[in-house]
Amino acid sequence: AMVQSFIPEAVLVEEGSTEEVSNETEQVDQEGNQDQVEEQSGENTRPSKKEKELLKEAEKKAKKNKDQDHRVGKTVKTTVSYSNVRSGPGLDYSIVTSVSKGSRVFIYEAEGEDERTWYHGIITSSETGNSYDAWISSKNLE
């Protein structure tokens, strides 16, 4: 039997429902169809393999950076129709993509600017389910 490496998903699910979600995801993994099985219905999108791999690294970084900002180590959602996702912490950096409202952001680093904080995180689009390791402005988040 193939050994599944497994990441606790407590960050992504409500308290108390961790168990069910993990098992479900594991079954899907073993069948190897996770990417096709995933329904792209916004908030309930189960994390893709890519998102899980990125989160595993990001969680380690978040532990080191937790003193930077109260949001480091948390998963929040975007609250504006479209948010620009950037290659660095500032408006001068190029736009990698834009994500729609309700996209997940696991924050692992924070950098303050005058009127906003920039968060470095794993940003998963609520529309496509694609994950990006990039920066987003505090003005777009809940």
Side-chain angles (χ1 to χ4, degrees), residues 99-119:
V99 293
S100 51
K101 191 173 175 171
S103 295
R104 275 198 296 268
V105 182
F106 174 77
I107 295 166
Y108 68 83
E109 188 183 358
E111 213 163 286
E113 215 187 27
D114 299 337
E115 75 277 27
R116 69 187 81 191
T117 301
W118 288 93
Y119 290 116

Side-chain angles (χ1 to χ4, degrees), residues 68-69 71-72 83-95 105 107-121 123 134-141:
Q68 293 176 347
D69 187 276
R71 279 182 165 150
V72 170
S83 306
N84 286 329
V85 172
R86 294 182 180 271
S87 60
L91 297 171
D92 312 340
Y93 289 89
S94 61
I95 295 171
V105 182
I107 295 166
Y108 68 83
E109 188 183 358
E111 213 163 286
E113 215 187 27
D114 299 337
E115 75 277 27
R116 69 187 81 191
T117 301
W118 288 93
Y119 290 116
H120 199 180
I123 302 165
W135 293 80
I136 193 164
S137 158
S138 55
K139 295 194 168 182
N140 299 321
L141 304 176

Side-chain angles (χ1 to χ4, degrees), residues 1-115:
M2 214 174 84
V3 180
Q4 294 291 337
S5 60
F6 210 66
I7 303 155
E9 280 158 78
V11 262
L12 301 174
V13 293
E14 296 294 333
E15 208 56 62
S17 61
T18 322
E19 214 63 35
E20 301 145 299
V21 176
S22 308
N23 298 341
E24 243 176 84
T25 312
E26 209 166 35
Q27 283 157 11
V28 179
D29 279 352
Q30 281 158 355
E31 291 157 28
N33 323 323
Q34 182 164 6
D35 296 330
Q36 295 79 7
V37 172
E38 218 176 298
E39 285 169 37
Q40 306 299 2
S41 57
E43 317 221 349
N44 337 343
T45 317
R46 290 221 291 265
S48 65
K49 287 201 172 82
K50 180 184 179 190
E51 184 182 359
K52 285 190 197 167
E53 279 161 24
L54 289 170
L55 283 171
K56 198 175 188 175
E57 286 308 300
E59 281 165 12
K60 290 178 197 159
K61 294 175 189 164
K63 286 196 179 90
K64 292 186 189 128
N65 296 336
K66 65 177 184 297
D67 300 335
Q68 293 176 347
D69 187 276
H70 68 284
R71 279 182 165 150
V72 170
K74 293 196 169 76
T75 299
V76 296
K77 292 222 162 80
T78 60
T79 52
V80 296
S81 307
Y82 281 94
S83 306
N84 286 329
V85 172
R86 294 182 180 271
S87 60
L91 297 171
D92 312 340
Y93 289 89
S94 61
I95 295 171
V96 178
T97 187
S98 74
V99 293
S100 51
K101 191 173 175 171
S103 295
R104 275 198 296 268
V105 182
F106 174 77
I107 295 166
Y108 68 83
E109 188 183 358
E111 213 163 286
E113 215 187 27
D114 299 337
E115 75 277 27

